[in-house]
Amino acid sequence: MMYRNNLLSLLLMGCALSASAQLKEPMQALPDPLLMNDGTTRVENLSQWSQRRQEISQMIQQYGIGEKPDVSPEAIKASMKGDTLIVDVTVNGETLTLKSCLHYPTMGEAPYALMIGTSRLSLPKALFENRPIAIMNFHEDQVNDYTQGRWRKHHERGEHNFDRLYPHLKDNGAYSEWAWGLSRLIDGLEQLGPEKTKIDVKRIGVSGCSYAGKMSLFCGAFDERVALTIAQEPGGGGAASWRYNCKVDSVENLDRTDYHWFKESMLEQFHGDSVYLMPYDHHELCAMVCPRALLVIGNTDYKWLADESAYVSLNAARKVWEKFGIADRMGYSIIGGHMHCMLPESQYPEVEAFIDKFLLGKTDVDTSNIRIAPDFEGKVDLDKWIK
Protein backbone atom coordinates (compact mmCIF):
# COMPACT_ATOMS: atom_id res chain seq x y z
CA MET A 1 0.00 0.00 0.00
CA MET A 2 1.41 3.40 -0.95
CA TYR A 3 2.71 5.37 2.02
CA ARG A 4 0.73 8.28 3.32
CA ASN A 5 0.22 9.72 6.79
CA ASN A 6 -3.02 8.77 8.45
CA LEU A 7 -5.16 11.23 10.35
CA LEU A 8 -3.47 10.43 13.66
CA SER A 9 -0.02 11.18 12.23
CA LEU A 10 -1.21 14.47 10.83
CA LEU A 11 -2.71 15.44 14.19
CA LEU A 12 0.51 14.48 15.94
CA MET A 13 2.54 16.58 13.52
CA GLY A 14 0.25 19.53 14.17
CA CYS A 15 0.67 19.12 17.92
CA ALA A 16 4.42 18.84 17.50
CA LEU A 17 4.57 22.01 15.44
CA SER A 18 2.80 24.01 18.14
CA ALA A 19 4.78 22.45 20.96
CA SER A 20 8.25 22.68 19.43
CA ALA A 21 9.86 26.03 20.03
CA GLN A 22 13.25 27.59 20.50
CA LEU A 23 14.54 26.67 23.95
CA LYS A 24 14.11 29.37 26.57
CA GLU A 25 17.38 28.47 28.27
CA PRO A 26 20.61 27.34 26.55
CA MET A 27 21.29 23.59 26.66
CA GLN A 28 24.83 22.47 25.95
CA ALA A 29 24.20 18.76 26.49
CA LEU A 30 22.33 16.95 23.76
CA PRO A 31 18.53 17.05 24.15
CA ASP A 32 17.02 13.79 25.37
CA PRO A 33 15.58 12.05 22.28
CA LEU A 34 13.22 10.03 24.49
CA LEU A 35 11.63 13.06 26.19
CA MET A 36 8.46 14.36 24.57
CA ASN A 37 8.09 18.07 23.82
CA ASP A 38 5.82 18.51 26.85
CA GLY A 39 8.99 18.19 28.95
CA THR A 40 7.58 15.52 31.27
CA THR A 41 6.52 12.44 29.27
CA ARG A 42 9.24 9.89 28.63
CA VAL A 43 8.97 7.38 25.82
CA GLU A 44 8.52 3.85 27.17
CA ASN A 45 7.33 1.86 24.14
CA LEU A 46 7.41 1.89 20.35
CA SER A 47 3.94 3.40 20.12
CA GLN A 48 5.12 6.41 22.10
CA TRP A 49 8.33 6.47 20.07
CA SER A 50 6.23 6.82 16.91
CA GLN A 51 4.70 9.96 18.40
CA ARG A 52 8.07 11.28 19.53
CA ARG A 53 9.53 10.57 16.11
CA GLN A 54 6.84 12.78 14.58
CA GLU A 55 7.79 15.57 17.00
CA ILE A 56 11.44 15.32 15.99
CA SER A 57 10.49 15.23 12.32
CA GLN A 58 8.45 18.38 12.67
CA MET A 59 11.20 20.25 14.53
CA ILE A 60 13.80 19.37 11.90
CA GLN A 61 11.46 20.49 9.13
CA GLN A 62 10.47 23.68 10.96
CA TYR A 63 13.96 24.82 11.92
CA GLY A 64 16.42 22.93 9.73
CA ILE A 65 15.43 21.82 6.26
CA GLY A 66 11.90 22.97 5.49
CA GLU A 67 8.76 21.00 4.80
CA LYS A 68 8.74 17.59 3.16
CA PRO A 69 5.16 17.58 1.83
CA ASP A 70 3.00 14.47 1.63
CA VAL A 71 1.74 13.35 -1.77
CA SER A 72 -1.57 11.57 -2.35
CA PRO A 73 -1.50 8.22 -4.17
CA GLU A 74 -3.62 9.74 -6.93
CA ALA A 75 -0.80 12.17 -7.75
CA ILE A 76 1.59 9.34 -8.64
CA LYS A 77 1.74 7.65 -12.04
CA ALA A 78 4.47 5.03 -12.35
CA SER A 79 5.64 2.93 -15.29
CA MET A 80 8.59 0.84 -16.43
CA LYS A 81 10.37 1.38 -19.74
CA GLY A 82 12.71 -1.55 -20.02
CA ASP A 83 14.64 -1.52 -16.75
CA THR A 84 13.99 2.17 -16.12
CA LEU A 85 11.50 3.24 -13.46
CA ILE A 86 9.55 6.36 -14.44
CA VAL A 87 7.51 8.21 -11.84
CA ASP A 88 5.36 11.23 -12.74
CA VAL A 89 4.29 13.35 -9.76
CA THR A 90 1.53 15.89 -10.43
CA VAL A 91 0.81 18.57 -7.84
CA ASN A 92 -0.95 21.91 -8.33
CA GLY A 93 -1.24 21.26 -12.05
CA GLU A 94 2.53 20.78 -12.46
CA THR A 95 4.26 17.47 -13.21
CA LEU A 96 7.75 16.43 -12.15
CA THR A 97 9.23 13.29 -13.71
CA LEU A 98 11.74 11.03 -12.00
CA LYS A 99 13.67 8.37 -13.92
CA SER A 100 16.04 5.77 -12.49
CA CYS A 101 17.50 2.65 -14.08
CA LEU A 102 17.32 -0.58 -12.11
CA HIS A 103 20.36 -2.86 -12.32
CA TYR A 104 19.35 -6.39 -11.41
CA PRO A 105 21.63 -9.03 -9.88
CA THR A 106 22.74 -12.08 -11.85
CA MET A 107 21.89 -14.43 -8.99
CA GLY A 108 18.95 -15.19 -6.76
CA GLU A 109 15.28 -14.86 -7.59
CA ALA A 110 12.96 -11.86 -7.79
CA PRO A 111 11.65 -9.94 -5.98
CA TYR A 112 15.06 -8.61 -5.02
CA ALA A 113 16.26 -6.38 -2.23
CA LEU A 114 17.22 -2.93 -3.52
CA MET A 115 20.03 -0.53 -2.60
CA ILE A 116 19.43 3.04 -3.76
CA GLY A 117 22.45 5.28 -4.16
CA THR A 118 21.72 8.87 -3.21
CA SER A 119 23.24 10.74 -6.17
CA ARG A 120 25.29 7.61 -6.77
CA LEU A 121 26.19 4.47 -4.86
CA SER A 122 29.71 5.08 -3.59
CA LEU A 123 29.96 1.71 -1.83
CA PRO A 124 32.29 -0.65 -3.74
CA LYS A 125 30.71 -2.80 -6.44
CA ALA A 126 32.49 -5.79 -4.93
CA LEU A 127 30.05 -5.73 -2.02
CA PHE A 128 27.13 -6.42 -4.36
CA GLU A 129 28.58 -8.61 -7.11
CA ASN A 130 27.88 -11.84 -5.23
CA ARG A 131 24.67 -10.81 -3.52
CA PRO A 132 21.08 -10.89 -4.87
CA ILE A 133 20.57 -7.14 -4.49
CA ALA A 134 19.40 -4.76 -7.21
CA ILE A 135 20.99 -1.32 -7.52
CA MET A 136 19.38 1.98 -8.47
CA ASN A 137 20.67 5.56 -8.32
CA PHE A 138 18.46 8.46 -7.24
CA HIS A 139 19.27 11.36 -9.56
CA GLU A 140 18.57 14.16 -7.12
CA ASP A 141 19.10 16.86 -9.75
CA GLN A 142 15.72 15.89 -11.21
CA VAL A 143 14.22 17.40 -8.04
CA ASN A 144 16.72 20.06 -7.01
CA ASP A 145 19.81 20.48 -9.17
CA TYR A 146 22.03 22.07 -6.57
CA THR A 147 25.18 20.19 -5.61
CA GLN A 148 27.96 20.90 -3.18
CA GLY A 149 29.32 24.41 -3.70
CA ARG A 150 27.68 25.08 -7.06
CA TRP A 151 24.54 24.95 -9.15
CA ARG A 152 24.39 22.38 -11.91
CA LYS A 153 22.18 24.58 -14.07
CA HIS A 154 22.61 27.89 -12.25
CA HIS A 155 19.23 27.69 -10.56
CA GLU A 156 18.79 29.81 -7.45
CA ARG A 157 16.85 28.79 -4.37
CA GLY A 158 13.18 28.57 -5.32
CA GLU A 159 13.87 27.89 -9.02
CA HIS A 160 14.21 24.11 -9.02
CA ASN A 161 11.80 21.52 -10.41
CA PHE A 162 10.42 20.92 -6.92
CA ASP A 163 9.46 24.60 -6.71
CA ARG A 164 7.17 24.36 -9.73
CA LEU A 165 5.00 22.01 -7.67
CA TYR A 166 5.41 23.83 -4.37
CA PRO A 167 6.14 27.54 -4.98
CA HIS A 168 5.19 28.34 -1.37
CA LEU A 169 8.14 26.22 -0.15
CA LYS A 170 10.86 28.28 -1.86
CA ASP A 171 12.66 28.69 1.49
CA ASN A 172 13.20 24.94 1.76
CA GLY A 173 16.68 23.50 1.95
CA ALA A 174 17.69 20.89 -0.61
CA TYR A 175 17.64 18.02 1.89
CA SER A 176 13.88 18.18 2.44
CA GLU A 177 13.33 18.23 -1.33
CA TRP A 178 15.74 15.38 -2.01
CA ALA A 179 14.11 13.29 0.72
CA TRP A 180 10.76 14.06 -0.90
CA GLY A 181 12.06 12.87 -4.27
CA LEU A 182 13.41 9.57 -3.01
CA SER A 183 10.06 8.88 -1.35
CA ARG A 184 8.34 9.38 -4.68
CA LEU A 185 10.54 6.69 -6.25
CA ILE A 186 9.45 4.30 -3.51
CA ASP A 187 5.85 5.34 -4.18
CA GLY A 188 6.37 4.28 -7.79
CA LEU A 189 7.85 0.93 -6.83
CA GLU A 190 4.90 0.30 -4.52
CA GLN A 191 2.36 1.30 -7.16
CA LEU A 192 3.77 -1.01 -9.81
CA GLY A 193 4.42 -3.95 -7.50
CA PRO A 194 7.07 -6.69 -7.62
CA GLU A 195 5.58 -8.33 -10.72
CA LYS A 196 6.63 -5.32 -12.81
CA THR A 197 9.64 -4.01 -10.86
CA LYS A 198 11.12 -7.29 -9.51
CA ILE A 199 11.73 -5.36 -6.26
CA ASP A 200 10.72 -6.25 -2.70
CA VAL A 201 9.78 -2.86 -1.23
CA LYS A 202 10.17 -4.22 2.31
CA ARG A 203 13.91 -4.62 1.68
CA ILE A 204 15.07 -1.20 0.49
CA GLY A 205 18.34 0.41 1.53
CA VAL A 206 19.78 3.87 0.84
CA SER A 207 23.41 4.91 0.86
CA GLY A 208 25.55 7.85 -0.23
CA CYS A 209 28.77 9.61 0.69
CA SER A 210 29.77 13.14 1.75
CA TYR A 211 26.95 15.58 0.92
CA ALA A 212 25.10 12.54 -0.45
CA GLY A 213 25.85 10.80 2.85
CA LYS A 214 23.82 13.51 4.52
CA MET A 215 21.20 12.97 1.84
CA SER A 216 20.99 9.24 2.56
CA LEU A 217 20.56 9.98 6.26
CA PHE A 218 17.73 12.45 5.68
CA CYS A 219 16.09 10.11 3.14
CA GLY A 220 16.27 7.15 5.52
CA ALA A 221 15.16 9.14 8.54
CA PHE A 222 12.13 10.64 6.80
CA ASP A 223 10.76 7.52 5.08
CA GLU A 224 9.86 4.54 7.24
CA ARG A 225 9.85 2.25 4.20
CA VAL A 226 13.66 2.36 4.08
CA ALA A 227 14.84 -0.77 5.90
CA LEU A 228 18.57 0.08 5.96
CA THR A 229 20.34 3.43 5.89
CA ILE A 230 24.11 3.55 5.34
CA ALA A 231 25.44 7.10 5.66
CA GLN A 232 29.04 7.20 4.47
CA GLU A 233 31.22 10.08 5.71
CA PRO A 234 28.24 12.48 6.06
CA GLY A 235 30.14 15.17 8.01
CA GLY A 236 28.59 18.16 9.76
CA GLY A 237 24.88 18.51 9.06
CA GLY A 238 24.70 14.73 8.86
CA ALA A 239 25.31 12.53 11.91
CA ALA A 240 27.47 15.10 13.73
CA SER A 241 26.05 17.34 16.45
CA TRP A 242 25.68 21.05 15.75
CA ARG A 243 26.19 21.71 19.47
CA TYR A 244 29.41 19.75 19.74
CA ASN A 245 30.85 21.38 16.64
CA CYS A 246 30.11 24.93 17.82
CA LYS A 247 33.51 25.44 19.49
CA VAL A 248 35.57 23.16 17.24
CA ASP A 249 37.89 24.67 14.64
CA SER A 250 38.13 23.50 11.03
CA VAL A 251 34.97 21.40 11.02
CA GLU A 252 31.64 21.80 9.29
CA ASN A 253 29.37 23.39 11.85
CA LEU A 254 26.14 25.37 11.79
CA ASP A 255 28.02 28.58 10.94
CA ARG A 256 30.15 26.88 8.26
CA THR A 257 27.93 24.76 6.07
CA ASP A 258 26.24 25.11 2.70
CA TYR A 259 22.94 26.90 3.26
CA HIS A 260 21.41 25.80 -0.01
CA TRP A 261 21.06 22.50 1.84
CA PHE A 262 19.26 24.02 4.82
CA LYS A 263 16.83 26.83 5.60
CA GLU A 264 18.67 30.14 5.77
CA SER A 265 16.63 30.98 8.85
CA MET A 266 18.49 28.23 10.75
CA LEU A 267 21.64 30.34 10.58
CA GLU A 268 19.73 33.44 11.63
CA GLN A 269 18.22 31.72 14.66
CA PHE A 270 21.01 29.46 15.85
CA HIS A 271 24.34 31.01 14.82
CA GLY A 272 27.22 31.02 17.31
CA ASP A 273 26.25 30.22 20.89
CA SER A 274 22.60 30.43 19.90
CA VAL A 275 23.00 26.83 18.74
CA TYR A 276 22.43 25.86 22.39
CA LEU A 277 18.86 27.15 22.03
CA MET A 278 18.11 24.72 19.20
CA PRO A 279 15.37 22.37 20.42
CA TYR A 280 16.87 19.30 18.68
CA ASP A 281 20.22 18.09 17.41
CA HIS A 282 21.38 15.59 14.83
CA HIS A 283 21.54 12.62 17.17
CA GLU A 284 17.76 12.88 16.93
CA LEU A 285 17.90 12.90 13.13
CA CYS A 286 19.84 9.63 13.41
CA ALA A 287 17.37 8.29 15.99
CA MET A 288 14.47 8.88 13.58
CA VAL A 289 15.70 5.79 11.72
CA CYS A 290 14.81 3.63 14.74
CA PRO A 291 13.43 0.92 14.85
CA ARG A 292 14.95 0.34 11.41
CA ALA A 293 18.67 -0.21 10.74
CA LEU A 294 21.36 2.49 10.56
CA LEU A 295 25.09 2.21 9.89
CA VAL A 296 27.28 5.33 9.79
CA ILE A 297 30.75 5.20 8.21
CA GLY A 298 33.37 7.78 9.24
CA ASN A 299 36.86 8.79 8.12
CA THR A 300 39.14 10.43 10.69
CA ASP A 301 41.67 11.56 8.08
CA TYR A 302 39.46 14.54 7.25
CA LYS A 303 38.87 16.85 10.20
CA TRP A 304 36.18 18.76 8.27
CA LEU A 305 33.95 15.68 8.57
CA ALA A 306 33.67 16.25 12.34
CA ASP A 307 33.82 12.57 13.23
CA GLU A 308 34.49 13.19 16.92
CA SER A 309 31.18 15.03 17.03
CA ALA A 310 29.53 12.20 15.09
CA TYR A 311 30.90 9.69 17.60
CA VAL A 312 29.20 11.56 20.45
CA SER A 313 26.00 12.03 18.47
CA LEU A 314 25.79 8.38 17.44
CA ASN A 315 26.29 7.15 20.98
CA ALA A 316 23.45 9.42 22.09
CA ALA A 317 21.21 8.20 19.27
CA ARG A 318 21.97 4.56 20.07
CA LYS A 319 20.22 4.98 23.42
CA VAL A 320 16.93 4.89 21.53
CA TRP A 321 17.64 1.50 19.93
CA GLU A 322 18.91 0.26 23.30
CA LYS A 323 15.68 1.36 24.96
CA PHE A 324 13.74 -1.10 22.82
CA GLY A 325 16.28 -3.93 22.97
CA ILE A 326 17.27 -3.66 19.30
CA ALA A 327 20.72 -2.05 19.56
CA ASP A 328 22.01 -4.53 16.96
CA ARG A 329 20.20 -2.42 14.37
CA MET A 330 22.48 0.58 14.88
CA GLY A 331 26.23 0.76 14.42
CA TYR A 332 29.17 2.88 13.33
CA SER A 333 32.66 2.40 11.95
CA ILE A 334 34.95 5.45 12.15
CA ILE A 335 38.54 4.87 11.00
CA GLY A 336 41.12 6.67 8.86
CA GLY A 337 43.78 5.55 6.41
CA HIS A 338 41.80 5.96 3.20
CA MET A 339 40.62 8.57 0.72
CA HIS A 340 37.32 10.37 1.13
CA CYS A 341 34.39 8.23 -0.09
CA MET A 342 36.72 5.30 -0.86
CA LEU A 343 35.63 2.56 1.52
CA PRO A 344 38.72 0.52 2.51
CA GLU A 345 38.59 -3.27 2.64
CA SER A 346 39.05 -3.03 6.41
CA GLN A 347 35.51 -1.60 6.64
CA TYR A 348 33.93 -4.14 4.31
CA PRO A 349 32.92 -6.54 7.14
CA GLU A 350 30.75 -3.92 8.90
CA VAL A 351 28.94 -2.95 5.71
CA GLU A 352 28.53 -6.57 4.61
CA ALA A 353 27.08 -7.53 7.98
CA PHE A 354 24.41 -4.81 7.84
CA ILE A 355 23.56 -5.60 4.21
CA ASP A 356 23.32 -9.33 4.86
CA LYS A 357 21.20 -8.96 7.98
CA PHE A 358 18.87 -6.11 7.10
CA LEU A 359 18.51 -6.42 3.32
CA LEU A 360 18.98 -10.16 2.82
CA GLY A 361 17.46 -11.27 6.12
CA LYS A 362 20.33 -13.52 7.20
CA THR A 363 19.79 -14.54 10.82
CA ASP A 364 23.30 -15.82 11.53
CA VAL A 365 24.93 -12.37 11.25
CA ASP A 366 25.94 -10.51 14.43
CA THR A 367 25.81 -6.71 14.24
CA SER A 368 25.46 -6.05 17.96
CA ASN A 369 29.05 -4.92 18.50
CA ILE A 370 29.69 -2.81 15.42
CA ARG A 371 30.83 0.26 17.31
CA ILE A 372 34.30 0.95 15.96
CA ALA A 373 36.03 4.26 16.70
CA PRO A 374 39.55 3.66 18.02
CA ASP A 375 40.48 7.35 17.89
CA PHE A 376 37.63 8.27 20.23
CA GLU A 377 36.68 5.21 22.30
CA GLY A 378 37.60 5.87 25.92
CA LYS A 379 39.08 9.26 25.02
CA VAL A 380 35.98 11.42 24.51
CA ASP A 381 33.85 12.33 27.53
CA LEU A 382 30.42 11.09 26.50
CA ASP A 383 28.90 11.85 29.90
CA LYS A 384 29.41 15.56 29.33
CA TRP A 385 27.10 15.46 26.33
CA ILE A 386 24.74 12.58 27.03
CA LYS A 387 22.71 13.13 30.19
Side-chain angles (χ1 to χ4, degrees):
M1 179 179 179
M2 190 175 298
Y3 172 83
R4 53 179 170 179
N5 286 336
N6 58 29
L7 179 59
L8 176 59
S9 295
L10 290 171
L11 289 172
L12 288 170
M13 288 179 67
C15 292
L17 180 61
S18 62
S20 63
Q22 181 173 297
L23 296 177
K24 295 179 180 179
E25 297 292 336
M27 178 187 294
Q28 185 173 32
L30 299 181
D32 186 346
L34 292 167
L35 183 65
M36 301 289 284
N37 279 348
D38 63 14
T40 59
T41 305
R42 287 193 58 78
V43 172
E44 297 296 339
N45 54 56
L46 283 171
S47 178
Q48 288 180 317
W49 172 244
S50 180
Q51 297 176 38
R52 174 59 180 159
R53 187 180 170 279
Q54 290 287 357
E55 289 188 339
I56 295 169
S57 169
Q58 197 60 39
M59 287 190 290
I60 294 174
Q61 290 178 73
Q62 180 176 350
Y63 296 113
I65 61 173
E67 181 184 344
K68 180 196 173 190
D70 294 322
V71 176
S72 69
E74 296 76 20
I76 304 295
K77 182 180 178 181
S79 61
M80 293 289 297
K81 185 175 182 180
D83 291 342
T84 298
L85 172 67
I86 302 171
V87 181
D88 291 323
V89 188
T90 302
V91 178
N92 295 322
E94 293 283 347
T95 298
L96 185 154
T97 300
L98 300 170
K99 297 181 180 181
S100 288
C101 183
L102 286 155
H103 300 275
Y104 295 103
T106 57
M107 61 179 59
E109 297 181 357
Y112 302 107
L114 172 67
M115 178 61 80
I116 302 175
T118 50
S119 190
R120 67 180 182 86
L121 185 62
S122 58
L123 295 174
K125 292 181 180 179
L127 297 176
F128 299 94
E129 288 174 346
N130 297 312
R131 288 179 167 84
I133 300 173
I135 303 296
M136 180 174 75
N137 285 331
F138 165 45
H139 303 292
E140 81 279 14
D141 59 328
Q142 295 174 352
V143 178
N144 180 312
D145 68 2
Y146 184 76
T147 189
Q148 186 166 2
R150 64 183 176 87
W151 296 268
R152 288 188 176 93
K153 297 178 182 177
H154 306 290
H155 288 157
E156 299 282 354
R157 186 189 294 267
E159 296 179 355
H160 302 282
N161 283 334
F162 175 91
D163 301 300
R164 292 190 292 104
L165 280 61
Y166 302 100
H168 65 291
L169 297 179
K170 65 181 181 179
D171 294 329
N172 269 14
Y175 284 124
S176 62
E177 300 177 5
W178 288 332
W180 175 92
L182 185 128
S183 289
R184 305 293 73 82
L185 287 179
I186 300 177
D187 286 345
L189 292 170
E190 283 190 327
Q191 184 181 94
L192 293 173
E195 296 80 12
K196 293 184 179 179
T197 67
K198 303 179 186 177
I199 298 300
D200 180 354
V201 294
K202 295 187 181 302
R203 296 188 294 146
I204 291 178
V206 297
S207 183
C209 189
S210 196
Y211 88 94
K214 296 179 184 52
M215 193 191 313
S216 66
L217 182 54
F218 279 104
C219 288
F222 278 86
D223 196 314
E224 294 179 80
R225 297 169 296 180
V226 174
L228 171 62
T229 300
I230 301 179
Q232 186 180 0
E233 302 181 37
S241 159
W242 288 136
R243 280 171 167 77
Y244 192 97
N245 283 346
C246 178
K247 303 294 185 181
V248 182
D249 293 332
S250 303
V251 301
E252 184 176 7
N253 62 25
L254 192 143
D255 293 306
R256 294 191 297 268
T257 190
D258 190 325
Y259 267 88
H260 287 87
W261 294 335
F262 303 97
K263 293 178 69 174
E264 291 178 338
S265 58
M266 184 173 75
L267 179 61
E268 297 167 5
Q269 286 182 274
F270 302 116
H271 63 88
D273 288 350
S274 296
V275 71
Y276 302 126
L277 294 171
M278 180 177 271
Y280 71 93
D281 211 324
H282 276 224
H283 64 301
E284 291 172 294
L285 171 67
C286 296
M288 279 181 63
V289 177
C290 181
R292 296 164 291 121
L294 170 66
L295 176 66
V296 176
I297 304 295
N299 185 346
T300 54
D301 284 0
Y302 298 83
K303 187 174 182 179
W304 177 253
L305 295 176
D307 278 328
E308 183 173 318
S309 174
Y311 170 75
V312 172
S313 183
L314 291 167
N315 275 279
R318 199 171 191 270
K319 300 293 185 183
V320 178
W321 279 268
E322 291 174 351
K323 174 70 176 178
F324 305 119
I326 51 174
D328 62 318
R329 301 183 191 181
M330 192 276 187
Y332 54 82
S333 177
I334 307 172
I335 63 171
H338 58 97
M339 296 294 291
H340 184 42
C341 293
M342 299 293 289
L343 189 80
E345 289 189 11
S346 60
Q347 284 183 309
Y348 280 22
E350 297 95 276
V351 177
E352 289 176 314
F354 268 77
I355 289 173
D356 286 343
K357 186 168 186 175
F358 300 110
L359 285 188
L360 297 180
K362 294 186 177 181
T363 58
D364 59 346
V365 178
D366 184 9
T367 57
S368 58
N369 293 311
I370 297 182
R371 288 177 289 163
I372 302 167
D375 286 13
F376 309 129
E377 187 75 37
K379 303 171 186 177
V380 175
D381 183 6
L382 294 176
D383 292 339
K384 175 182 176 181
W385 296 93
I386 304 171
K387 304 298 185 181

